Amino acid sequence: MDGTIVSEFLATLNTAPCFADHCDWRIPNWNELESIVSLDISYPLVDDGSLRGEYASATSDAADTNLAWGVDIRSRESVEISKVGTVRVRAVRGG
């Protein structure tokens, strides 16, 4: 991953004193993002009503590296998202 997701968003989260006192934030891969959203259930873990739209993962599309795999929070469907322009992401820890 590169671009402002890394140079700004993750850098801000991981710069001391770090977000929530943890300095190991990263963007989840596609499988991790789908597991957080819980596509198979009606009330996904992260859907508290405040999240809207599509969220990108750190997993690029093998056929077109200008696209990333992601999840549409409302429809709970897997989607391909252009890496060009503004992209929504969620940060996770560990791994």
Side-chain angles (χ1 to χ4, degrees), residues 46-56 71-76 81 87-90:
V46 299
D47 187 4
D48 63 0
S50 65
L51 300 177
R52 305 253 185 270
E54 299 172 342
Y55 286 76
V71 174
D72 183 306
I73 297 294
R74 287 284 152 218
S75 69
R76 295 188 312 274
I81 301 171
V87 177
R88 289 183 182 100
V89 293
R90 297 286 294 185

PDB file of all heavy atoms in Angstrom, residues 46-56 71-76 81 87-90:
ATOM      1  N   VAL A  46     -19.345  -3.917  12.778  1.00  0.00           N
ATOM      2  CA  VAL A  46     -18.991  -2.500  12.671  1.00  0.00           C
ATOM      3  C   VAL A  46     -20.145  -1.617  12.226  1.00  0.00           C
ATOM      4  O   VAL A  46     -19.971  -0.419  12.105  1.00  0.00           O
ATOM      5  CB  VAL A  46     -17.790  -2.274  11.725  1.00  0.00           C
ATOM      6  CG1 VAL A  46     -16.574  -2.983  12.224  1.00  0.00           C
ATOM      7  CG2 VAL A  46     -18.133  -2.686  10.309  1.00  0.00           C
ATOM      8  N   ASP A  47     -21.318  -2.155  11.990  1.00  0.00           N
ATOM      9  CA  ASP A  47     -22.419  -1.328  11.513  1.00  0.00           C
ATOM     10  C   ASP A  47     -23.232  -0.789  12.679  1.00  0.00           C
ATOM     11  O   ASP A  47     -24.204  -1.372  13.107  1.00  0.00           O
ATOM     12  CB  ASP A  47     -23.311  -2.116  10.558  1.00  0.00           C
ATOM     13  CG  ASP A  47     -24.367  -1.231   9.913  1.00  0.00           C
ATOM     14  OD1 ASP A  47     -24.346  -0.013  10.153  1.00  0.00           O
ATOM     15  OD2 ASP A  47     -25.199  -1.770   9.181  1.00  0.00           O
ATOM     16  N   ASP A  48     -22.793   0.356  13.190  1.00  0.00           N
ATOM     17  CA  ASP A  48     -23.522   1.008  14.271  1.00  0.00           C
ATOM     18  C   ASP A  48     -24.389   2.139  13.735  1.00  0.00           C
ATOM     19  O   ASP A  48     -24.893   2.964  14.485  1.00  0.00           O
ATOM     20  CB  ASP A  48     -22.558   1.533  15.330  1.00  0.00           C
ATOM     21  CG  ASP A  48     -21.617   2.600  14.781  1.00  0.00           C
ATOM     22  OD1 ASP A  48     -21.709   2.935  13.583  1.00  0.00           O
ATOM     23  OD2 ASP A  48     -20.795   3.106  15.554  1.00  0.00           O
ATOM     24  N   GLY A  49     -24.561   2.182  12.419  1.00  0.00           N
ATOM     25  CA  GLY A  49     -25.353   3.217  11.786  1.00  0.00           C
ATOM     26  C   GLY A  49     -24.533   4.418  11.343  1.00  0.00           C
ATOM     27  O   GLY A  49     -25.003   5.249  10.582  1.00  0.00           O
ATOM     28  N   SER A  50     -23.288   4.515  11.806  1.00  0.00           N
ATOM     29  CA  SER A  50     -22.463   5.673  11.453  1.00  0.00           C
ATOM     30  C   SER A  50     -21.640   5.440  10.192  1.00  0.00           C
ATOM     31  O   SER A  50     -21.153   6.389   9.601  1.00  0.00           O
ATOM     32  CB  SER A  50     -21.527   6.030  12.611  1.00  0.00           C
ATOM     33  OG  SER A  50     -20.602   4.982  12.822  1.00  0.00           O
ATOM     34  N   LEU A  51     -21.466   4.197   9.788  1.00  0.00           N
ATOM     35  CA  LEU A  51     -20.666   3.890   8.605  1.00  0.00           C
ATOM     36  C   LEU A  51     -21.549   3.839   7.370  1.00  0.00           C
ATOM     37  O   LEU A  51     -22.634   3.292   7.395  1.00  0.00           O
ATOM     38  CB  LEU A  51     -19.960   2.542   8.779  1.00  0.00           C
ATOM     39  CG  LEU A  51     -19.012   2.453   9.955  1.00  0.00           C
ATOM     40  CD1 LEU A  51     -18.449   1.045  10.051  1.00  0.00           C
ATOM     41  CD2 LEU A  51     -17.895   3.461   9.824  1.00  0.00           C
ATOM     42  N   ARG A  52     -21.057   4.423   6.303  1.00  0.00           N
ATOM     43  CA  ARG A  52     -21.795   4.455   5.053  1.00  0.00           C
ATOM     44  C   ARG A  52     -20.834   4.200   3.903  1.00  0.00           C
ATOM     45  O   ARG A  52     -19.684   4.610   3.940  1.00  0.00           O
ATOM     46  CB  ARG A  52     -22.424   5.830   4.834  1.00  0.00           C
ATOM     47  CG  ARG A  52     -23.297   6.309   5.964  1.00  0.00           C
ATOM     48  CD  ARG A  52     -24.765   6.241   5.572  1.00  0.00           C
ATOM     49  NE  ARG A  52     -25.631   6.810   6.588  1.00  0.00           N
ATOM     50  CZ  ARG A  52     -26.142   6.123   7.576  1.00  0.00           C
ATOM     51  NH1 ARG A  52     -25.861   4.863   7.706  1.00  0.00           N
ATOM     52  NH2 ARG A  52     -26.940   6.681   8.446  1.00  0.00           N
ATOM     53  N   GLY A  53     -21.315   3.539   2.876  1.00  0.00           N
ATOM     54  CA  GLY A  53     -20.542   3.420   1.657  1.00  0.00           C
ATOM     55  C   GLY A  53     -19.597   2.238   1.620  1.00  0.00           C
ATOM     56  O   GLY A  53     -19.727   1.274   2.359  1.00  0.00           O
ATOM     57  N   GLU A  54     -18.628   2.371   0.736  1.00  0.00           N
ATOM     58  CA  GLU A  54     -17.679   1.298   0.461  1.00  0.00           C
ATOM     59  C   GLU A  54     -16.363   1.558   1.181  1.00  0.00           C
ATOM     60  O   GLU A  54     -15.874   2.687   1.198  1.00  0.00           O
ATOM     61  CB  GLU A  54     -17.442   1.204  -1.040  1.00  0.00           C
ATOM     62  CG  GLU A  54     -18.695   0.903  -1.824  1.00  0.00           C
ATOM     63  CD  GLU A  54     -18.503   0.988  -3.325  1.00  0.00           C
ATOM     64  OE1 GLU A  54     -17.520   1.587  -3.784  1.00  0.00           O
ATOM     65  OE2 GLU A  54     -19.357   0.442  -4.039  1.00  0.00           O
ATOM     66  N   TYR A  55     -15.796   0.512   1.740  1.00  0.00           N
ATOM     67  CA  TYR A  55     -14.516   0.589   2.439  1.00  0.00           C
ATOM     68  C   TYR A  55     -13.533  -0.339   1.750  1.00  0.00           C
ATOM     69  O   TYR A  55     -13.836  -1.506   1.496  1.00  0.00           O
ATOM     70  CB  TYR A  55     -14.673   0.208   3.911  1.00  0.00           C
ATOM     71  CG  TYR A  55     -15.347   1.300   4.695  1.00  0.00           C
ATOM     72  CD1 TYR A  55     -16.710   1.497   4.595  1.00  0.00           C
ATOM     73  CD2 TYR A  55     -14.614   2.173   5.480  1.00  0.00           C
ATOM     74  CE1 TYR A  55     -17.341   2.528   5.274  1.00  0.00           C
ATOM     75  CE2 TYR A  55     -15.225   3.209   6.166  1.00  0.00           C
ATOM     76  CZ  TYR A  55     -16.587   3.381   6.053  1.00  0.00           C
ATOM     77  OH  TYR A  55     -17.195   4.407   6.716  1.00  0.00           O
ATOM     78  N   ALA A  56     -12.354   0.180   1.442  1.00  0.00           N
ATOM     79  CA  ALA A  56     -11.327  -0.577   0.734  1.00  0.00           C
ATOM     80  C   ALA A  56     -10.483  -1.384   1.703  1.00  0.00           C
ATOM     81  O   ALA A  56     -10.285  -1.006   2.855  1.00  0.00           O
ATOM     82  CB  ALA A  56     -10.430   0.366  -0.060  1.00  0.00           C
ATOM     83  N   VAL A  71     -15.617  -3.702   0.718  1.00  0.00           N
ATOM     84  CA  VAL A  71     -16.943  -4.116   1.158  1.00  0.00           C
ATOM     85  C   VAL A  71     -17.847  -2.893   1.203  1.00  0.00           C
ATOM     86  O   VAL A  71     -17.444  -1.837   1.685  1.00  0.00           O
ATOM     87  CB  VAL A  71     -16.875  -4.765   2.563  1.00  0.00           C
ATOM     88  CG1 VAL A  71     -18.263  -5.057   3.097  1.00  0.00           C
ATOM     89  CG2 VAL A  71     -16.042  -6.029   2.535  1.00  0.00           C
ATOM     90  N   ASP A  72     -19.068  -3.061   0.703  1.00  0.00           N
ATOM     91  CA  ASP A  72     -20.087  -2.027   0.858  1.00  0.00           C
ATOM     92  C   ASP A  72     -20.796  -2.318   2.175  1.00  0.00           C
ATOM     93  O   ASP A  72     -21.418  -3.367   2.349  1.00  0.00           O
ATOM     94  CB  ASP A  72     -21.082  -2.071  -0.310  1.00  0.00           C
ATOM     95  CG  ASP A  72     -22.108  -0.968  -0.228  1.00  0.00           C
ATOM     96  OD1 ASP A  72     -22.784  -0.845   0.820  1.00  0.00           O
ATOM     97  OD2 ASP A  72     -22.251  -0.221  -1.203  1.00  0.00           O
ATOM     98  N   ILE A  73     -20.665  -1.402   3.119  1.00  0.00           N
ATOM     99  CA  ILE A  73     -21.187  -1.615   4.473  1.00  0.00           C
ATOM    100  C   ILE A  73     -22.702  -1.807   4.479  1.00  0.00           C
ATOM    101  O   ILE A  73     -23.220  -2.665   5.179  1.00  0.00           O
ATOM    102  CB  ILE A  73     -20.807  -0.427   5.391  1.00  0.00           C
ATOM    103  CG1 ILE A  73     -19.291  -0.326   5.533  1.00  0.00           C
ATOM    104  CG2 ILE A  73     -21.477  -0.529   6.746  1.00  0.00           C
ATOM    105  CD1 ILE A  73     -18.634  -1.469   6.258  1.00  0.00           C
ATOM    106  N   ARG A  74     -23.424  -1.026   3.719  1.00  0.00           N
ATOM    107  CA  ARG A  74     -24.892  -1.109   3.721  1.00  0.00           C
ATOM    108  C   ARG A  74     -25.412  -2.382   3.047  1.00  0.00           C
ATOM    109  O   ARG A  74     -26.274  -3.053   3.583  1.00  0.00           O
ATOM    110  CB  ARG A  74     -25.496   0.114   3.040  1.00  0.00           C
ATOM    111  CG  ARG A  74     -25.395   1.333   3.873  1.00  0.00           C
ATOM    112  CD  ARG A  74     -26.444   1.270   4.981  1.00  0.00           C
ATOM    113  NE  ARG A  74     -25.956   2.037   6.106  1.00  0.00           N
ATOM    114  CZ  ARG A  74     -26.122   1.710   7.360  1.00  0.00           C
ATOM    115  NH1 ARG A  74     -26.762   0.632   7.690  1.00  0.00           N
ATOM    116  NH2 ARG A  74     -25.652   2.454   8.314  1.00  0.00           N
ATOM    117  N   SER A  75     -24.909  -2.697   1.867  1.00  0.00           N
ATOM    118  CA  SER A  75     -25.420  -3.863   1.139  1.00  0.00           C
ATOM    119  C   SER A  75     -24.738  -5.147   1.585  1.00  0.00           C
ATOM    120  O   SER A  75     -25.200  -6.232   1.258  1.00  0.00           O
ATOM    121  CB  SER A  75     -25.234  -3.678  -0.371  1.00  0.00           C
ATOM    122  OG  SER A  75     -23.855  -3.724  -0.705  1.00  0.00           O
ATOM    123  N   ARG A  76     -23.619  -5.024   2.306  1.00  0.00           N
ATOM    124  CA  ARG A  76     -22.807  -6.160   2.763  1.00  0.00           C
ATOM    125  C   ARG A  76     -22.340  -7.011   1.577  1.00  0.00           C
ATOM    126  O   ARG A  76     -22.292  -8.234   1.648  1.00  0.00           O
ATOM    127  CB  ARG A  76     -23.552  -6.980   3.804  1.00  0.00           C
ATOM    128  CG  ARG A  76     -23.804  -6.205   5.077  1.00  0.00           C
ATOM    129  CD  ARG A  76     -24.359  -7.037   6.192  1.00  0.00           C
ATOM    130  NE  ARG A  76     -25.478  -7.881   5.856  1.00  0.00           N
ATOM    131  CZ  ARG A  76     -26.747  -7.522   5.865  1.00  0.00           C
ATOM    132  NH1 ARG A  76     -27.064  -6.298   6.165  1.00  0.00           N
ATOM    133  NH2 ARG A  76     -27.692  -8.369   5.573  1.00  0.00           N
ATOM    134  N   ILE A  81     -12.954  -1.358  -5.716  1.00  0.00           N
ATOM    135  CA  ILE A  81     -12.902   0.085  -5.499  1.00  0.00           C
ATOM    136  C   ILE A  81     -11.663   0.648  -6.174  1.00  0.00           C
ATOM    137  O   ILE A  81     -10.563   0.117  -6.003  1.00  0.00           O
ATOM    138  CB  ILE A  81     -12.863   0.389  -3.985  1.00  0.00           C
ATOM    139  CG1 ILE A  81     -14.106  -0.181  -3.303  1.00  0.00           C
ATOM    140  CG2 ILE A  81     -12.732   1.885  -3.736  1.00  0.00           C
ATOM    141  CD1 ILE A  81     -14.055  -0.131  -1.790  1.00  0.00           C
ATOM    142  N   VAL A  87     -10.747   7.319  -0.923  1.00  0.00           N
ATOM    143  CA  VAL A  87     -11.102   5.941  -0.590  1.00  0.00           C
ATOM    144  C   VAL A  87     -11.340   5.861   0.913  1.00  0.00           C
ATOM    145  O   VAL A  87     -10.548   6.370   1.701  1.00  0.00           O
ATOM    146  CB  VAL A  87      -9.959   4.971  -0.976  1.00  0.00           C
ATOM    147  CG1 VAL A  87     -10.295   3.551  -0.576  1.00  0.00           C
ATOM    148  CG2 VAL A  87      -9.653   5.058  -2.454  1.00  0.00           C
ATOM    149  N   ARG A  88     -12.434   5.232   1.312  1.00  0.00           N
ATOM    150  CA  ARG A  88     -12.696   5.015   2.740  1.00  0.00           C
ATOM    151  C   ARG A  88     -11.964   3.757   3.190  1.00  0.00           C
ATOM    152  O   ARG A  88     -11.959   2.748   2.483  1.00  0.00           O
ATOM    153  CB  ARG A  88     -14.185   4.819   2.995  1.00  0.00           C
ATOM    154  CG  ARG A  88     -15.028   6.041   2.829  1.00  0.00           C
ATOM    155  CD  ARG A  88     -16.478   5.685   3.184  1.00  0.00           C
ATOM    156  NE  ARG A  88     -17.348   6.793   2.993  1.00  0.00           N
ATOM    157  CZ  ARG A  88     -18.132   6.972   1.920  1.00  0.00           C
ATOM    158  NH1 ARG A  88     -18.136   6.079   0.957  1.00  0.00           N
ATOM    159  NH2 ARG A  88     -18.899   8.020   1.822  1.00  0.00           N
ATOM    160  N   VAL A  89     -11.374   3.817   4.373  1.00  0.00           N
ATOM    161  CA  VAL A  89     -10.711   2.644   4.954  1.00  0.00           C
ATOM    162  C   VAL A  89     -11.001   2.589   6.442  1.00  0.00           C
ATOM    163  O   VAL A  89     -11.377   3.579   7.058  1.00  0.00           O
ATOM    164  CB  VAL A  89      -9.182   2.678   4.736  1.00  0.00           C
ATOM    165  CG1 VAL A  89      -8.828   2.524   3.269  1.00  0.00           C
ATOM    166  CG2 VAL A  89      -8.558   3.931   5.312  1.00  0.00           C
ATOM    167  N   ARG A  90     -10.826   1.417   7.012  1.00  0.00           N
ATOM    168  CA  ARG A  90     -10.878   1.194   8.451  1.00  0.00           C
ATOM    169  C   ARG A  90      -9.512   0.668   8.857  1.00  0.00           C
ATOM    170  O   ARG A  90      -8.923  -0.146   8.156  1.00  0.00           O
ATOM    171  CB  ARG A  90     -11.927   0.147   8.812  1.00  0.00           C
ATOM    172  CG  ARG A  90     -13.345   0.508   8.474  1.00  0.00           C
ATOM    173  CD  ARG A  90     -13.912   1.531   9.390  1.00  0.00           C
ATOM    174  NE  ARG A  90     -14.049   1.016  10.748  1.00  0.00           N
ATOM    175  CZ  ARG A  90     -14.605   1.678  11.723  1.00  0.00           C
ATOM    176  NH1 ARG A  90     -15.063   2.886  11.530  1.00  0.00           N
ATOM    177  NH2 ARG A  90     -14.694   1.174  12.911  1.00  0.00           N
TER     178      ARG A  90
END
